Amino acid sequence: MLDVAVIEEPAAAEASLDPIRSRILAALAEPGSAAMLAVRLGLPRQKVNYHLKELERHGLVELAEERRKGNVTERIYGATAASYVISPSALAAVSPDPSRSPDQLSARWLLALGARLVQEVGTLLTGAARAKRRVASFGIDAEVRFASAADRMAFADELAQVVGTLVGRYHDESAPGGRTHRVIVGLHQVPAPQAGAPGSTAGPRQEAGGTHETESEAGQEDRP
């Protein structure tokens, strides 16, 4: 089972968002048969079996083993990943384009950068999985509490200068065999926890985020 799988096909994204299929994916963190899942989820076995077939067709679950019980063969399924991320490529026609209106102080632009990151890293992961290779990547995750908006702006300015200096120092447009990377630096306020938010439940979850192989921006919330 993968830690995270990227869903790129629209049909697979639709299948994963179905409430019953989402519950089945979560339940399959521990492999089971249609009969076992029916008991776990309190659903008719035939309904579970139908949804299992659809999830298998889209590569979201896979056959783990077959167990022979008398004249009956029990098929045991497992989720292909612990978590799933839906790539913006699943909605390619309407996915955000960071080049459309670049603005370092726009939260919407930061979101567009994040969407592009998910799409590009997803493509890399999919290709690497087929080639049985790893993706070269690097990520930093930190939190900073500012005393004032002025401190936040000063931090963003200094961060932009530092990153710009580093990029200028190491960038080599003419290097033979060089590989272009994308650098994304984002800054945003941490949302307050929501009562009853899904985070206390186990099983596959859908999320967007990541870092990968290289552009340098610091984003903040939209201006009033």
Side-chain angles (χ1 to χ4, degrees), residues 2 4-9 87 89 118-136 179 212-213:
L2 300 172
V4 180
V6 181
I7 300 174
E8 297 180 309
E9 295 297 324
S87 169
S89 62
V118 172
Q119 182 171 345
E120 291 182 346
V121 176
T123 299
L124 289 171
L125 283 173
T126 299
R130 291 173 183 153
K132 296 183 178 180
R133 299 178 62 183
R134 292 175 59 90
V135 175
R179 301 184 65 182
H212 94 97
E213 306 193 34

Side-chain angles (χ1 to χ4, degrees), residues 47-222:
K47 176 176 286 190
V48 170
N49 193 57
Y50 166 76
H51 288 297
L52 268 177
K53 295 295 184 183
E54 287 299 300
L55 290 169
E56 184 181 25
R57 185 164 68 91
H58 293 296
L60 300 175
V61 305
E62 60 188 358
L63 182 65
E65 62 174 307
E66 292 184 334
R67 299 173 182 171
R68 191 73 178 177
K69 291 186 175 181
N71 295 327
V72 178
T73 299
E74 186 179 42
R75 296 167 63 87
I76 305 298
Y77 291 92
T80 55
S83 300
Y84 296 89
V85 174
I86 297 179
S87 169
S89 62
L91 294 170
V94 292
S95 62
D97 181 4
S99 66
R100 188 173 301 151
S101 54
D103 182 351
Q104 287 186 323
L105 299 179
S106 169
R108 290 179 175 81
W109 189 57
L110 181 59
L111 188 61
L113 290 176
R116 182 179 63 186
L117 183 146
V118 172
Q119 182 171 345
E120 291 182 346
V121 176
T123 299
L124 289 171
L125 283 173
T126 299
R130 291 173 183 153
K132 296 183 178 180
R133 299 178 62 183
R134 292 175 59 90
V135 175
S137 64
F138 172 75
I140 295 177
D141 180 24
E143 292 186 11
V144 54
R145 185 178 179 87
F146 298 109
S148 66
D151 284 353
R152 184 188 63 211
M153 288 301 298
F155 176 89
D157 289 342
E158 187 173 345
L159 180 62
Q161 292 174 16
V162 170
V163 174
T165 298
L166 280 173
V167 170
R169 181 185 305 166
Y170 289 98
H171 179 68
D172 190 340
E173 190 68 36
S174 60
R179 301 184 65 182
T180 300
H181 290 62
R182 189 182 306 284
V183 177
I184 297 176
V185 179
L187 176 65
H188 64 85
Q189 185 175 343
V190 178
Q194 297 182 1
S200 57
T201 56
R205 59 189 183 281
Q206 294 173 1
E207 55 191 15
T211 59
H212 94 97
E213 306 193 34
T214 209
E215 193 166 75
S216 146
E217 294 93 12
Q220 301 194 340
E221 69 260 15
D222 282 329

